[in-house]
Amino acid sequence: MRRLLIWAPLALFIAFFVVFASGLISPESKTIRSQLIGKPMPQFALQPGVAGKAGVSSAELANGQPHLVNVFASWCIPCIAEAPQLDQLAQAGVPIYGIAIRDRPEDLARFLARNGDPYRAIGGDPNSSVQIALGSSGVPETFVVDGKGIIRHQHIGDIQPQDVPGIMSALGAAK
């Protein structure tokens, strides 16, 4: 019996390791759900991020119409990859507001000239304060916001062609 008790700490460690490793290898869910889903957009008012466009404010986002809020940057490679999908959504009549993170107006203007400009307005967020308030961990991220300014859906990462139907569905549900 004493021999078995000597091995008990090792057996407990192995059991703990197996449980911990199985949780890392196959977690229950790989979806990250924003804590802001169902909550109003944080209060903010951003100056225009680029000449010729209006800035963006949280008050403007409660305009009675569902829309997208896209957090992006000119220095972001995945933002280039999602540009065709944003153009497609804008051509389908989806209002898109941009929040440009830690960007310079001249870099942003070059990015829009190269990759298209699907944005109704673009606010510059030079210190990422709005990005942090949104709980956004990187760029690009896109939020579906209903007409009352309530966040209804969050898409993390670049919007790929296969994501467009899901985003359109989320917009339809936000009406």
Side-chain angles (χ1 to χ4, degrees):
M1 183 69 175
R2 251 183 164 187
R3 283 185 137 173
L4 290 176
L5 288 176
I6 290 173
W7 294 102
L10 180 61
L12 285 172
F13 173 76
I14 291 171
F16 174 76
F17 180 78
V18 167
V19 169
F20 181 74
S22 68
L24 288 176
I25 293 170
S26 59
E28 290 181 27
S29 173
K30 294 180 181 177
T31 303
I32 299 170
R33 181 164 164 79
S34 171
Q35 297 299 313
L36 292 180
I37 302 294
K39 296 184 179 174
M41 289 288 288
Q43 296 293 312
F44 66 89
L46 295 174
Q47 296 295 314
V50 64
K53 290 274 185 184
V56 178
S57 71
S58 54
E60 182 180 354
L61 298 176
N63 60 9
Q65 182 181 22
H67 47 271
L68 298 181
V69 175
N70 179 247
V71 180
F72 76 107
S74 68
W75 43 264
C76 160
I77 302 300
C79 297
I80 296 170
E82 81 169 354
Q85 287 69 247
L86 289 176
D87 278 337
Q88 178 186 356
L89 289 163
Q91 287 175 9
V94 175
I96 304 173
Y97 294 86
I99 296 176
I101 303 301
R102 291 175 272 129
D103 227 325
R104 296 184 311 187
E106 59 272 18
D107 294 334
L108 196 52
R110 276 193 294 273
F111 176 86
L112 297 172
R114 247 188 334 248
N115 301 296
D117 183 359
Y119 301 102
R120 183 172 280 190
I122 300 173
D125 188 11
N127 57 9
S128 298
S129 60
V130 174
Q131 180 188 29
I132 291 168
L134 283 168
S136 169
S137 59
V139 288
E141 284 192 27
T142 303
F143 297 86
V144 173
V145 180
D146 72 13
K148 296 177 182 172
I150 307 294
I151 298 171
R152 297 296 177 191
H153 177 77
Q154 179 181 12
H155 181 87
I156 297 174
D158 56 316
I159 297 171
Q160 295 292 307
Q162 65 270 17
D163 300 323
V164 171
I167 289 176
M168 290 299 285
S169 175
L171 277 163
K175 287 185 179 177

